[in-house]
Amino acid sequence: MIKITFPDNSVKEFEAGISGLGIARSLSNSLAKEVLSITVNGEIWDISRPINEDSNIKLHTWDDAEGKYAFWHSSAHLMAEALEALYPGVKFGIGPAIEMGFYYDVDLGNDTVLSDKDLPKIEQKMLELARNKSEYQRTDVTKEEALQFFADKNEEYKIELINDLEDGTISFYKQGDFTDLCRGPHLPNTSYIKAIKLNSIAGAYWRGDEKRPQLTRIYGITFPKKKFLDEYVVMMEEAKKRDHRKLGKEMELFTFSQNVGQGMPLWLPKGAQLRESLETFLKRVQKKFGYEQVITPHIGNINLYKTSGHYEKYGADSFQAIQTPQEGEEYLLKPMNCPHHCEIYKFKPRSYKDLPIRYAEFGTVYRYEQSGELHGLTRVRSFTQDDAHLFCTPDQLKDEFKKVIDIIFIIFKALDFTEYTAQISLRDKVNREKYIGNDENWDKAEQAIIEAAEEKGLNTVVEYGEAAFYGPKLDFMIKDAIGRKWQLGTIQVDYNLPERFELEYVGSDNQKHRPIMIHRAPFGSMERFVAVLLEHTGGKFPLWLTPEQVVIMPISEKYNDYAQKVLNSLNNSDIRAVLDDRNEKIGRKIRDSELKKTPYLIIVGEKEATDGTVSVRRQGEGDLGSQSIQEFTDFINKEVEDQLSSIEKY
């Protein structure tokens, strides 16, 4: 008999060799029908895999990320089986599950080019194969056996992957007539897959290397029920309307230029105003929490990043070193702000009485992302982080951590992110070799995060093995208005950089000690945050944030002078107003303004010019009637004041 410990710490005994599916059946038949994967001692397994020793387990259904992972991983194999049946001789690269679905990189040969028109045919073949109820069968193989199998199939990509693996760690999965190199997990059989949608085709360099062959990447998603697919299709249609690239162009927020360079966003005046409003808001909040603004260069000596470890970690993804006229002197475009902040901390001796110290910077960093990975504002080569680094004593760590959570709450409230979970990322329970620092410091840091999250009443999930190499962290996962999940806001505890940079403070015992460093970025990056915000709001920002709060529309050019007078009055009262004096019909102007999501429209004609008033329309609500210029000014300023004061009351 073996002892199985469940997430609620209850323990039950089972015969050795029982599977996750068997455990689910022992609990309820309905659970057995829904379970898709199982975590055993921190590792995700097939639910059909036997458990032979005492274990901590957690069963996963479609509602869990781990359940979807097994489902979509299995679906990638099903698509590969369909491709092999339809295109004999196809060669396979990698086919992972991703956040929403899966993809497979394939080499169809020089004479075969897939297009979107081919996707329905592949979908139909997948459905046909799924109905066969083929079992996903796992087999452990030697490295020699694995190499021979794929050599016989002339699969050079798989052979390259196998050569990177250690003997004794290799497994195959087979379903139907298809066998793949894989460590799992997978579903029990293909019949679980009921609905399929292949979304798109793209090019992808093998192993992300532009010098290697370009493969065909096929993206797809599958579901256990047809209604889930129907809901997904509706969501994707809404997502197209909210695409930040589309809205950014329509609202004239940002653009890209090949002459400037890929992944280098250009912020247009309205986009710059939006960013400035976000920065001003966060600076205002940070000031109340005791932060000090700093500014650091866009480049740094290469040795700075070697000391921090970022050169080793990001060197391959950074722009090449900048050579100076002095021999042997090299600089890098900075990939991170934290090494610079460490040097600011070091510029003079510190006492425990000085701590905590909180440095904040909207610092622009640069990383050379592969061109195929670039995507609007969400994946760029130049981006600005709302970075801050806190230096504190061990006794201050938990309170400082909780205050950062407070700032993130304020931001979420300000921008109407109401649904979120917090992921506590801790060390691997078994493998401690990939982490630096001593166990005592790690235990304190992990406990501080756990206690801080508990005291703040966060809805949390704990993930072992997901900590950074230098310390545990807390990541906030938000759900947007149409149900998609995004990672926004991260807080990390770091014992590594203070050690590497030899940071010190003199304690109350008159001895030198290392401070603890907290990294935090509530927005993450301004670029990605604006992209998420655009898609969450559909471009309809709260009045305090919107770049153009009011557009003034004269009915004809006869009233342009009066419209200009209204504009000057509003701008003098810090209301962001613009004048639309184009020689267009008023209906066209209103439609254009609606497209740009401007909250308030002012229409002026003969009556308004005579009475000294404005006719007001609210986007989505229509006519609000006539007001004097001062009444409208007071109305707008009060709405902004009410919005900001309600946020800051948190």
Side-chain angles (χ1 to χ4, degrees):
M1 301 294 286
I2 59 173
K3 292 181 178 179
I4 298 296
T5 303
F6 292 86
D8 63 359
N9 291 322
S10 62
V11 179
K12 290 189 177 183
E13 289 192 344
F14 295 91
E15 293 283 347
I18 192 168
S19 66
L21 186 57
I23 293 172
R25 285 195 183 110
S26 75
L27 299 175
S28 77
N29 288 330
S30 60
L31 177 60
K33 292 177 181 178
E34 295 180 0
V35 67
L36 300 175
S37 65
I38 180 173
T39 295
V40 180
N41 296 328
E43 183 181 353
I44 306 176
W45 283 18
D46 312 323
I47 56 172
S48 56
R49 189 170 169 183
I51 304 171
N52 293 307
E53 60 185 16
D54 294 349
S55 301
N56 291 278
I57 67 111
K58 183 178 180 182
L59 297 166
H60 306 296
T61 68
W62 179 256
D63 294 330
D64 302 307
E66 297 89 343
K68 289 185 176 73
Y69 177 84
F71 197 95
W72 288 332
H73 195 182
S74 303
S75 300
H77 281 226
L78 181 66
M79 182 174 73
E81 184 183 4
L83 290 168
E84 195 168 63
L86 293 169
Y87 304 96
V90 60
K91 299 176 183 180
F92 296 98
I94 59 171
I98 55 178
E99 186 175 358
M100 285 292 287
F102 58 90
Y103 69 79
Y104 219 123
D105 290 342
V106 300
D107 184 345
L108 293 157
N110 295 329
D111 298 331
T112 305
V113 178
L114 284 184
S115 72
D116 290 343
K117 294 179 181 179
D118 297 304
L119 297 182
K121 176 176 67 174
I122 302 170
E123 288 175 5
Q124 285 303 118
K125 189 63 177 179
M126 289 176 68
L127 286 169
E128 175 190 324
L129 294 171
R131 296 186 190 105
N132 290 339
K133 202 175 181 178
S134 300
E135 292 183 4
Y136 288 93
Q137 300 172 333
R138 176 189 173 97
T139 306
D140 293 321
V141 297
T142 66
K143 190 169 186 175
E144 183 181 356
E145 289 171 334
L147 288 170
Q148 186 61 54
F149 178 85
F150 284 107
D152 292 343
K153 295 185 67 177
N154 197 28
E155 290 261 22
E156 64 263 29
Y157 304 110
K158 295 296 183 183
I159 290 172
E160 183 175 330
L161 293 173
I162 294 167
N163 280 325
D164 292 340
L165 301 176
E166 294 182 7
D167 202 357
T169 66
I170 301 171
S171 59
F172 282 178
Y173 274 85
K174 181 180 186 297
Q175 93 275 357
D177 295 325
F178 180 74
T179 300
D180 205 353
L181 170 71
C182 186
R183 60 184 174 187
H186 287 288
L187 302 171
N189 63 69
T190 58
S191 70
Y192 284 61
I193 301 168
K194 305 290 188 185
I196 300 168
K197 175 66 177 175
L198 299 185
N199 291 318
S200 62
I201 297 173
Y205 291 105
W206 172 234
R207 309 196 91 168
D209 187 343
E210 293 177 342
K211 297 178 181 179
R212 307 293 300 276
Q214 187 175 59
L215 307 183
T216 300
R217 177 170 293 180
I218 307 173
Y219 287 95
I221 192 167
T222 54
F223 300 92
K225 295 180 182 179
K226 175 66 164 57
K227 73 170 186 175
F228 292 165
L229 173 58
D230 294 339
E231 292 167 356
Y232 170 79
V233 170
V234 171
M235 183 188 78
M236 292 306 294
E237 287 301 316
E238 182 62 27
K240 287 180 183 178
K241 298 176 187 176
R242 293 169 176 258
D243 189 316
H244 76 276
R245 295 166 298 177
K246 172 178 175 289
L247 292 175
K249 183 177 181 179
E250 292 173 353
M251 298 173 68
E252 299 180 6
L253 298 177
F254 60 87
T255 189
F256 291 89
S257 166
Q258 289 295 326
N259 291 330
V260 173
Q262 290 183 307
M264 303 285 185
L266 300 172
W267 291 89
L268 305 177
K270 295 173 189 176
Q273 176 60 62
L274 175 66
R275 278 187 52 155
E276 183 179 339
S277 296
L278 285 168
E279 290 183 15
T280 300
F281 168 69
L282 185 54
K283 286 178 180 178
R284 181 171 166 176
V285 172
Q286 288 177 163
K287 188 174 182 179
K288 294 184 176 182
F289 281 82
Y291 285 75
E292 298 174 290
Q293 291 294 134
V294 297
I295 299 173
T296 62
H298 288 246
I299 65 174
N301 192 290
I302 195 170
N303 292 319
L304 176 73
Y305 308 112
K306 288 181 177 178
T307 299
S308 70
H310 288 105
Y311 183 74
E312 180 181 356
K313 184 173 179 59
Y314 294 109
D317 296 324
S318 297
F319 289 89
Q320 293 301 301
I322 303 167
Q323 307 291 331
T324 73
Q326 183 171 327
E327 186 177 350
E329 187 177 57
E330 292 183 313
Y331 283 77
L332 282 183
L333 289 168
K334 71 175 173 184
M336 284 287 192
N337 298 300
C338 35
H340 298 249
H341 291 188
C342 288
E343 291 295 325
I344 291 177
Y345 178 93
K346 283 182 69 174
F347 100 100
K348 69 177 184 180
R350 305 290 183 176
S351 162
Y352 73 97
K353 295 179 181 179
D354 300 324
L355 273 56
I357 291 172
R358 310 176 187 93
Y359 293 140
E361 176 182 16
F362 287 89
T364 302
V365 298
Y366 305 87
R367 297 180 196 163
Y368 187 80
E369 303 285 355
Q370 297 288 346
S371 60
E373 299 294 326
L374 299 175
H375 181 79
L377 292 181
T378 59
R379 196 73 177 265
V380 290
R381 291 173 173 169
S382 166
F383 55 95
T384 302
Q385 295 177 309
D386 60 318
D387 231 346
H389 297 96
L390 295 77
F391 303 88
C392 63
T393 69
D395 291 340
Q396 295 167 337
L397 176 60
K398 186 169 74 171
D399 283 343
E400 288 303 306
F401 203 93
K402 287 165 65 176
K403 289 175 183 176
V404 176
I405 294 174
D406 287 339
I407 291 176
I408 291 174
F409 280 176
I410 291 171
I411 291 169
F412 285 180
K413 180 180 179 183
L415 300 169
D416 197 32
F417 290 115
T418 57
E419 292 188 58
Y420 51 85
T421 57
Q423 177 177 303
I424 301 174
S425 299
L426 306 178
R427 287 174 297 176
D428 191 287
K429 288 184 175 181
V430 179
N431 180 12
R432 300 295 176 88
E433 295 180 0
K434 58 182 178 179
Y435 307 105
I436 64 170
N438 60 60
D439 287 341
E440 181 183 359
N441 285 338
W442 269 92
D443 291 340
K444 288 179 180 178
E446 291 181 337
Q447 192 60 32
I449 292 178
I450 292 169
E451 289 178 4
E454 183 177 340
E455 290 171 18
K456 283 296 177 183
L458 297 181
N459 177 24
T460 61
V461 295
V462 176
E463 294 292 344
Y464 291 95
E466 294 298 317
F469 71 93
Y470 51 76
K473 59 180 181 171
L474 187 70
D475 292 322
F476 286 83
M477 317 299 293
I478 65 98
K479 185 180 288 188
D480 71 12
I482 59 173
R484 296 169 302 177
K485 291 183 179 179
W486 304 83
Q487 190 268 314
L488 284 182
T490 186
I491 320 172
Q492 302 175 353
V493 179
D494 184 1
Y495 286 88
N496 176 43
L497 288 190
E499 188 72 33
R500 284 176 174 259
F501 282 94
E502 299 181 347
L503 306 185
E504 297 176 340
Y505 68 90
V506 177
S508 58
D509 58 0
N510 210 32
Q511 300 297 310
K512 291 182 178 180
H513 302 271
R514 291 265 187 260
I516 301 171
M517 191 173 178
I518 299 176
H519 304 243
R520 54 108 277 205
F523 291 155
S525 78
M526 299 302 294
E527 286 72 14
R528 188 171 182 276
F529 188 82
V530 168
V532 173
L533 187 60
L534 270 170
E535 301 201 8
H536 176 58
T537 63
K540 295 181 180 179
F541 303 123
L543 187 63
W544 67 269
L545 180 60
T546 192
E548 291 182 353
Q549 297 169 320
V550 181
V551 60
I552 304 162
M553 303 176 181
I555 289 177
S556 72
E557 63 181 12
K558 291 191 298 182
Y559 308 108
N560 283 356
D561 289 343
Y562 179 67
Q564 184 65 51
K565 176 184 174 182
V566 174
L567 175 68
N568 293 340
S569 178
L570 295 178
N571 285 341
N572 288 337
S573 298
D574 293 325
I575 295 172
R576 296 188 290 275
V578 294
L579 175 62
D580 184 354
D581 57 359
R582 294 176 299 160
N583 187 24
E584 295 281 358
K585 292 182 179 180
I586 196 68
R588 170 67 182 273
K589 292 183 180 182
I590 291 173
R591 286 193 297 273
D592 290 347
S593 180
E594 291 279 346
L595 189 64
K596 293 178 180 178
K597 318 294 183 185
T598 309
Y600 285 99
L601 286 63
I602 285 180
I603 300 172
V604 295
E606 181 178 2
K607 184 176 186 305
E608 287 78 19
T610 301
D611 297 344
T613 61
V614 292
S615 180
V616 182
R617 291 176 59 91
R618 171 86 196 203
Q619 187 189 64
E621 297 180 15
D623 190 8
L624 299 184
S626 182
Q627 300 178 22
S628 70
I629 298 174
Q630 189 60 52
E631 285 174 336
F632 180 70
T633 299
D634 293 342
F635 173 76
I636 293 294
N637 283 333
K638 185 177 186 306
E639 183 173 337
V640 171
E641 182 183 345
D642 288 347
Q643 287 179 354
L644 290 175
S645 62
S646 67
I647 294 165
E648 294 177 1
K649 282 178 183 176
Y650 170 81

